[in-house]
Amino acid sequence: MAEVKKNCWGDEVVEDIGLCPQEDVDAGIAEEIYYAPAEHIKSIPTPAAATDHASYVTIAEPIVMETGKGFAKMKLQVDLNGLKAALVGNKGNKKVQTTLEAFIAGFKAQLVGFQEKYKNARLVFAIPDGNGNTWLIGDKLKPARFENFDLDTGKTNEDNNGATLNIVANKGPRLYTAELPMANAAVGPPVGG
């Protein structure tokens, strides 16, 4: 008979979380992010959780794509984009939800077509941040989806013209340290580029 674990915290190691005041911690995400339909991904490795906090969310093995598939680029307008991980749910039963807010300049046919084609798609995003980390949001089991995809021409010359995206995944972000498998560049220009 298998032994029942009485305390799920018994093997947990308490880890200091520090801050070095001389260390630069830059805000924001890169102006170029990457996306792929979840159906184009054969497998995403899971973190090999050890005893430290970072290993609990770090994916060091490469994503395996279906034959001929890969991630595509998405060009964002500078300083209008961010990634958030927040707790949602009831006390004692919290979960992490990840939100990507982004803006792609230009009310153009490529974006209108992208909106139409991907409005309900199951997606995975790879988002480089301002500190050189790449974060995955969504996976095959819990993909990222568009919460909002609002195209707007703007009204005055100073207004932004383009698409405001709000993308949500019902899973926490994962730090991805392997090489990202990219799609064939001959398919076309990046979305937003």
Side-chain angles (χ1 to χ4, degrees), residues 133-145:
N133 299 308
T134 298
W135 297 97
L136 288 182
I137 66 165
D139 61 20
K140 290 184 71 63
L141 184 61
K142 291 190 173 189
R145 296 179 188 271

Side-chain angles (χ1 to χ4, degrees), residues 20-75:
C20 178
Q22 291 82 16
E23 181 182 1
D24 287 334
V25 181
D26 294 328
I29 62 174
E31 295 173 41
E32 188 172 274
I33 64 173
Y34 309 93
Y35 74 96
E39 288 75 14
H40 287 191
I41 297 171
K42 190 176 283 189
S43 65
I44 298 176
T46 56
T51 56
D52 62 89
H53 298 333
S55 68
Y56 194 72
V57 296
T58 301
I59 298 173
E61 299 296 319
I63 292 171
V64 178
M65 303 299 291
E66 295 292 343
T67 303
K69 304 298 182 184
F71 281 78
K73 298 176 186 176
M74 187 177 283
K75 297 271 194 169

Side-chain angles (χ1 to χ4, degrees), residues 73-132:
K73 298 176 186 176
M74 187 177 283
K75 297 271 194 169
L76 307 179
Q77 184 168 321
V78 66
D79 293 340
L80 295 177
N81 316 292
L83 186 61
K84 297 178 183 176
L87 294 179
V88 296
N90 297 313
K91 191 185 304 181
N93 193 20
K94 296 284 186 185
K95 293 138 187 106
V96 179
Q97 185 177 71
T98 307
T99 303
L100 170 64
E101 296 174 1
F103 185 84
I104 302 173
F107 195 112
K108 51 192 170 188
Q110 183 191 32
L111 280 177
V112 175
F114 182 78
Q115 179 191 48
E116 184 69 28
K117 187 175 181 180
Y118 286 93
K119 62 184 174 278
N120 294 308
R122 300 162 25 91
L123 300 167
V124 175
F125 285 84
I127 301 124
D129 71 11
N131 298 295

Side-chain angles (χ1 to χ4, degrees), residues 160-175:
N160 281 326
N161 172 317
T164 301
L165 312 177
N166 191 296
I167 299 155
V168 176
N170 288 327
K171 186 171 189 164
R174 299 294 184 252
L175 178 63

